[in-house]
Amino acid sequence: MPALPSFVPYLIHTLFPPWVRRPTEIGAEIMMTAGGAFIVYWLLKNKKLQWLWNEWLTTVDHKKIGIMYLVAAIIMLGRGGLDALMLRTNLAMPTLHFINASEYNEVFTTHGTIMVFFMAMPLIFALFNVVVPLQIGSRDVAFPRLNAISFWLFAFAAALFNLSFVVGGSPNAGWTAYPPLTELAFNHTVGENYYFVSLLMTGIGTTITGINFLVTILRMRAPGMTFMKMPLFTWATLNTSVLILFAFPPLTIALLESLLDRVAGTTFFGLAHGGMPMMYVNLFWLFGHPEVYILVLPAFGVFSEVVATFSRKKLFGYPSMVLSMTAIMVLAYGTWVHHFFTMGAGPAVNVFFGLSTMLIAIPTGVKVFNWILTMWGGRLQFTTPMLYFLAMIPTFVIGGATGVMLGAVPADYQFHNSYFLVAHFHEVLIGGTVFGLLAGVYYWWPKMFGYKLNDHQGKWAFWLFAGGFWPTFIPQYWLGLEGMTRRMYTYPFGMGWHTLNVISTIGGFIMGAGFLVLVSNVLRSRLHREVDATGDPWDGRTLEWSIPSPAPEYNFAVIPTVDERDWWWEEKQRRQSGEKPAGPKPEDIRPIAIPKNTPVPILLGAAFFLGAFGLVFTWWPVALTGLAGVFGVLIYSWFQYDHYRILSAGEIRETEELLGRLGA
Amino acid sequence: MNGGDEQHERAIEPGFEFISPRFEEPKFPMHQVWGYAASLVLTFAALWMTVNRIMSPSVLLGVVLAMAVGQAALQLGVFMHVRESRGPAWHLVPLGLAFAIGIGLVGMSAWIMLFKSGVS
């Protein structure tokens, strides 16, 4: 038998080391390969490749990009949730070694990273993309092609991060990736390289998205929509974009320097040569605390829309809502040290940041009171989004109050890194962000697809998810007070932690069942869709409900002139009373320039992916090939001049006629 | 020289004169040449001072930070033409906010990391 070329065993050893040859990894590998093969087979059999390329992979339409973000986020929610259930299973009983210590480290790292960067962020961008241009009366975002580049950088980064599970090994230093644990001397596998490289990649995409929506909202609002007439979700997007713009640079620096420590032999955060590990912690939380508000402000925006629509009242205290949201945005930059009080920067520093932390509870409280007062005297409709809103109030109040407890410096020395902290941030991130985003998905689903998600099944999913939430996380406060620290993979008998952990695990599985019902809700609602021809199934208040669902590619045949805060609500009254015609006049319709599809974004993402993969394994020729690919795609795009195609007024009139939208 | 736009028919509010329109089109970009030389000097001077440790670390930190701010101003003013605009230069107002946040973050980070517990 001829000997294998020497690079074959090297490749096998590097790509598939022993720690990715465990049953879970091999199972995942088989599932991923089979799933991928099935998708390719289905596409080929139904001759869908061309359709996929033209309609989705090369699109620059913000509505389609939003839907792709949504699909990716739901898949990632499944993966992150599976990780969570593995963790909870391991902790159900004392000394239960369902997975071993090193695997546990990997799973809690990927759980946190995926949930924050590859589930919550894309779900937020899904809503930004789908809603904001429609809500401000715009035809697209300011930079449609950059928008597609953002998405593909995220998508390839998410693929790269998930690849670590089966090729080379997962990262294992927690979602915060503190040095010195991430330094090469203490962590030989390529896992942390995957973490740094994929987060850098998705970070570029996120920054571009922040800039894109900032410019879109500042420059592309419909005539008459002054700042104080903007819908609250648009305000939330504006504030979130500002947070992204200033929060991501410190993260980029922290990740880049950590990566250089690992692949280029520097010691920015090592212990030798004057390296400063705590500087990483400082930089990480300079990003990390604004990130918390990047995650929660969009949810606040969703709740403000949902509560007004389903109370059939205008939002109570609009100016104070805007003011408090902006105050949160500014204050978010001044609280980051509360994540590392125990570093011991001294009483002056800690007291300053403890007080600024407590200060931020005031604007948040203002918002909660305004939502409650919006419901006061309203005609409430208990639809699925409204239920998520109602479930948010108690969870967010408790989560916020325990946050203030954590902000009290002396007490924080006790709570720090205990399950009390774990319970706190899950309570605000699930009770605030995830409930908010799910409410938004249910609320805007008809706008995206033209049919509602079944409300009955949606309520089942809601009761399982929100009902499982309380038994999962409330016991963890007590576990923390009883001394259980985060990230421990098992615990001995006789600590008194057993009962509470069992309850928590049961709650976790109820939430998992809720996720499955949610997915089946999506699939069944698609199979048995009840088409909504009105475009306004909830009797909404803002501009996006004034156009058909799903919105035509040009969004608005005629851009409306906005004169009221809840413009569409007022417009409906005017149309009913016959004061105004019900739709755009045919003679007002003008030709519209639509940005053309382009393969540049997906090719750029693929080139980044190749370079990043080379960087992970420090295969410099591969990394440089990827870099050359990036430049190649950019140069190709420089010589494309013809970016728009013109949709004639006749075509638009025909489309509007078919949708029954033309006014007399 | 001001561009011939119609936009600046609207008078600039008192107190906002610094955003009034202004646009320069010199024959030779002398500003940029000087700006490039000055950026190189600032960069290499900072590197040289740090490598040779010519003063105590805290003084050096202050000097390097001051040079960084100067460098940022130079880049924005000379190469990004931040003062120039055919209409009112509204972008100067949020830029001030950006500077405030940036200086706040850098300043507070320096304050936080100056602790003397011997961790690093």
Side-chain angles (χ1 to χ4, degrees), chain A residues 338-393:
Chain A
H338 67 217
H339 295 272
F340 50 101
F341 280 148
T342 52
M343 177 176 87
V349 171
N350 280 0
V351 165
F352 177 90
F353 284 95
L355 286 176
S356 67
T357 303
M358 293 177 194
L359 205 60
I360 218 162
I362 296 170
T364 317
V366 168
K367 299 190 81 67
V368 173
F369 280 116
N370 277 341
W371 288 322
I372 293 172
L373 287 169
T374 304
M375 290 192 290
W376 186 269
R379 268 172 293 157
L380 302 193
Q381 290 168 304
F382 294 100
T383 55
T384 313
M386 189 66 175
L387 289 181
Y388 277 110
F389 163 73
L390 291 170
M392 179 277 297
I393 299 253

Side-chain angles (χ1 to χ4, degrees), chain A residues 404-463:
Chain A
V404 175
M405 287 167 76
L406 283 155
V409 181
D412 181 76
Y413 273 70
Q414 289 302 314
F415 300 140
H416 186 80
N417 270 1
S418 73
Y419 257 77
F420 190 87
L421 167 80
V422 175
H424 158 72
F425 71 69
H426 280 93
E427 183 133 29
V428 281
L429 282 178
I430 296 177
T433 306
V434 177
F435 283 9
L437 297 177
L438 287 179
V441 168
Y442 274 90
Y443 182 62
W444 280 302
W445 192 275
K447 196 38 74 188
M448 288 185 244
F449 298 101
Y451 58 91
K452 278 199 227 178
L453 287 175
N454 182 301
D455 207 43
H456 181 72
Q457 294 157 21
K459 281 177 183 165
W460 266 98
F462 164 79
W463 283 111

Side-chain angles (χ1 to χ4, degrees), chain B residues 41-47 49 61-73:
Chain B
V41 169
L42 282 169
T43 306
F44 285 104
L47 184 68
M49 286 197 297
L61 184 74
V63 173
V64 172
L65 274 177
M67 289 167 86
V69 172
Q71 171 101 285

